[in-house]
Amino acid sequence: MATPTDAASAVPEQENRVTLRDPIRESEERANQARIKRLTEAFNVFDQESNNTIPSSELGTVVRSLGLVPTEGELQDILSEMSDDSNPESIHLERFLNVMNTILKDRRYQGEPESKILRAFQVLDTQNNGYLSEDEFRNYLCKEGEPFNDEEFQDFMTIALDDETNHKCTYKDFVQHLVVEDND
Amino acid sequence: MWHKATSRFFRGVYQDDNNCVNSEDEIVPQVAAMSEKVDKMKMVSKLSVSPVEKSASKIQAAFRKHQARLKLKKQAAWQIHEKLEYSSEQTESKLKDMFEKLLKSSDILSPSVTKLLHKAGLPVEEKELLRLTNPDNIRVDATYQGPRVEGPITRKIFVDLIEAFQRGQVLHEKYVCEILHQARAILKSLPNFNHVDLTYLRHVFVVGDLHGQLADLLHIFNSNGLPSTDNAYVFNGDFVDRGRNSVEVILLLLVALILYPSSVFLNRGNHEDIMVTVRYGFFNELNQKYRTRKAPLIDLFKDIFSWLPLYSYVDAGKCKIIILHGGISDKINLKKLNHISRNRYVSIEVSPQSKTGAKRLTEEEENEYRQIQDLFWSDPDPRGRKGCRKNEDRKMACFFGSDITHQFLKQYNLSMIIRSHQVKQDGYEYNHDGKVLTVFSASNYCGGSNWGAVVRWDYNEEEPWIISFKTQAIEMEKLSFSKQLTLFEDPVYRALTEKIMTNKTALLKRFEKADKNKNDHLPLTTWADILSDVLQVDLPWLILRSKLVQEDPKGILYKTMFNDYILDNSKFQMSNAGIMEDLYMRKDMLLALFNLIDYNHSGFISRNEFADIIKLILDGENGTDDVNDAYIAELTSAMDFDKNGKIDFNEFLESFRIVNVKKNPTSTKKAAVKTKSFGLNGATTNEVRL
């Protein structure tokens, strides 16, 4: 008795032979292509000389621009994975794509939702005022966690106080501004 | 509007950026410092972390992410702007090719049009021009409150003009003509290049593209002193176009020239070209500010442009430097260029008439014409390649490599080329082992965030000083926290939207073809590839996509790409939207040709002339002589709004608008109310006549 496989191989090429599509694999493949393209685009934006490299010092910006939030330590790990010993101050596109594609696929270093960030402000707001002053911010953000340097703190305060006149930041609005939900 | 400026002032052959590592020895301590910091971080994270620490980290992370996104947005917008700019400047080469074609075969056009097109390339008839713009014949109305230029031009008048322009005043055309006449006389007497001798002048400032940005020019004068006999300046072209004060900028430069002809030097740029200025703003500005006498003024400027010297040669004692606007190529022959009749090149896009009277240029004349193009349009090769090749970005002139530079410098015993022509983030950039220096002086150019720079060379120095600066308009009201610039208001994205909308038919066709399942969705990469292919520009589509189109987990909903905007062509009453898009796509070409034909600048051309232009354009595209006459008739008829045989080009441009549908919610509301009050049972469609 012919087994189904025998029958299949015995049948000659026919025009109306159905090729089985694997929709799951197709959509995975498409997602992968989209990831690679998205990564390449972000890379190219910072590739000033159009020679498929970016300076290592820009890696943090590029990775964060993709919506990821690795710590400085984690960033170092990522950098060492993709940098080339013979040329440590720049990163080549190929290596970047390799390492970052896996990171994106595994959904590592994802950012926090708006509610969690709001909660974080509330924790710092020990008096439950609904706002924080510049000094309070300086106390927390330049000393704790992964401290801001002077420039970062300046930029932070500029945005935080943008709408305010009395040197206090009503963080609820601020949080909305910080956490932009871009589909990426 | 007040302006504030920030400057940084430093010296060097190579930029000593804080982030830039210049040598091997500097890497190790930097990396070591980084890893030290990292180990400390790692240690901290292993210990139990307090809620305060955790919260602080979360906020810091969110902020850093936000800043990175902002930087990406800015940088991307910058790149998009550049790419779109190049893509629009490619019209230059298309026009040039078209005019070349014209010279070779004028039988497809009516003789009158041919004659007019030739006229564009001819120098203006001098006597008539001077008569039409004679300041003595121009009366100044009693109501005129602006500055006056009476008697010989003095330094006081120069300063008065600066102050008046700063207050936003417009100089009366009588005085404009006075200045232009005097400047023209001086320019005509100059040789083809400026000789800048630092043995006497001691130092010189080199200013790059200004593009009508008055604030930058004034800041340069403020920080480095006004031009004078002992404060020399070279202005390296592109004084006009794009900025809002092209008229004031060029007037100030010409006054400086009149005051100090031995220490103020002007080089021509590619924008000092009548065919370019009709498309990039100077022409419009003249139209607006000098309505009555715009035609002769335009002609006067056209003539003055053609008399601007081609380059400057600086003798700095130990070094000799050449300053030119665009670049060089393997064809440039300075000895030859020093002897040509430079005013024959009225516009770079229209080749001059052959001196032999024949239709075609001789080989030598052709070579000369190519040299001129290279001088004003070339760029150093952006990919660092050697040799000389066609400039892929501008589609005319060259990309030149470091070997070309070295050879050129060696041949003419020069140390450096200083050029402009390209905007740079820092306002300047070195290429070719420090042998080519680009200086660009229009800060925050076209809404970007670049610095402007000025170069200063002192006698017997071997390298220059570079001064960079930024000027910025200060809004007196507080900036709002949620500055939601709508997509449409941002000029870069507006240009992008225009490009997309005018290619709507072609895009939809490709999208639908690729949509194999007919479910209105496309995979991300397919959508992006089609955009790059149809629009002929490679942009970061996936980064931009949330601004351009809607999507869901199944993919890109490509039809939504055209939801927010419509090409408002209701005035044309044409059924075929494709034809309107065709016209709009070619509006740059049409504009250039139109302005050529409309030699008395009346704003109108006849239907026949228009039909001829369209034929010319379409011929150029398909390469066949067989253009559908019916199609042309339909187009021409559509353009003649009042059906009076004349085509008002400004009306044409006005009626082509990309309208943001979302921004007119009131009209939608009105329509809805109307139907309700008439008791109609709700509209069957959501269509709104805007």
Side-chain angles (χ1 to χ4, degrees), chain A residues 1-19:
Chain A
M1 189 168 76
T3 61
T5 19
D6 284 353
S9 50
V11 170
E13 302 277 356
Q14 286 174 359
E15 273 129 23
N16 48 4
R17 181 161 150 199
V18 173
T19 4

Side-chain angles (χ1 to χ4, degrees), chain A residues 41 65 141 146 152 183, chain B residues 60 64 69 542-543 551:
Chain A
E41 281 182 0
S65 78
L141 302 178
E146 298 195 306
E152 283 177 308
N183 47 350
Chain B
Q60 288 154 347
R64 287 184 171 123
R69 271 216 189 290
L542 295 190
I543 293 181
E551 73 185 272

Side-chain angles (χ1 to χ4, degrees), chain B residues 423-576:
Chain B
V423 57
K424 298 292 176 190
Q425 248 329 91
D426 296 322
Y428 74 97
E429 186 177 276
Y430 277 101
N431 288 108
H432 298 181
D433 313 313
K435 296 297 185 195
V436 174
L437 171 59
T438 303
V439 58
F440 190 89
S441 308
S443 69
N444 294 325
Y445 179 55
C446 289
S449 58
N450 62 295
W451 291 74
V454 165
V455 168
R456 172 181 161 141
W457 208 298
D458 286 77
Y459 178 64
N460 263 347
E461 294 289 330
E462 282 170 18
E463 19 170 80
W465 288 87
I466 301 179
I467 304 133
S468 24
F469 58 87
K470 260 192 194 186
T471 61
Q472 197 178 331
I474 303 181
E475 306 288 354
M476 292 316 239
E477 326 86 29
K478 277 197 82 166
L479 300 168
S480 74
F481 179 81
S482 49
K483 303 190 276 272
Q484 293 274 4
L485 276 181
T486 66
L487 183 57
F488 202 66
E489 286 163 12
D490 190 341
V492 170
Y493 289 105
R494 186 182 7 210
L496 185 55
T497 307
E498 223 182 66
K499 214 169 168 66
I500 292 171
M501 286 308 296
T502 53
N503 285 280
K504 176 175 166 180
T505 313
L507 283 171
L508 267 176
K509 201 162 138 196
R510 290 283 299 270
F511 285 153
E512 279 161 4
K513 188 162 164 214
D515 181 9
K516 302 232 158 64
N517 299 333
K518 300 286 165 256
N519 63 358
D520 291 348
H521 286 87
L522 279 179
L524 267 59
T525 46
T526 310
W527 173 79
D529 289 341
I530 291 178
L531 278 174
S532 289
D533 196 33
V534 172
L535 301 182
Q536 287 285 296
V537 66
D538 193 20
L539 295 179
W541 299 112
L542 295 190
I543 293 181
L544 299 173
R545 72 186 193 275
S546 62
K547 284 186 159 50
L548 299 174
V549 75
Q550 286 170 30
E551 73 185 272
D552 62 26
K554 281 199 264 173
I556 300 275
L557 290 146
Y558 56 87
K559 288 193 178 150
T560 63
M561 205 168 174
F562 310 101
N563 277 0
D564 289 348
Y565 303 94
I566 60 166
L567 187 57
D568 179 15
N569 49 28
S570 39
K571 275 192 124 163
F572 294 97
Q573 296 144 13
M574 279 190 78
S575 49
N576 188 343

Side-chain angles (χ1 to χ4, degrees), chain A residues 76-92:
Chain A
Q76 262 307 108
D77 289 335
I78 298 173
L79 175 61
S80 46
E81 258 184 280
M82 55 171 85
S83 72
D84 178 9
D85 291 323
S86 58
N87 197 4
E89 70 250 35
S90 56
I91 299 170
H92 197 273

Side-chain angles (χ1 to χ4, degrees), chain B residues 369-383:
Chain B
Y369 182 32
R370 296 285 294 279
Q371 285 187 51
I372 294 286
Q373 287 170 41
D374 291 341
L375 207 61
F376 292 116
W377 285 87
S378 294
D379 299 311
D381 193 303
R383 305 230 284 265

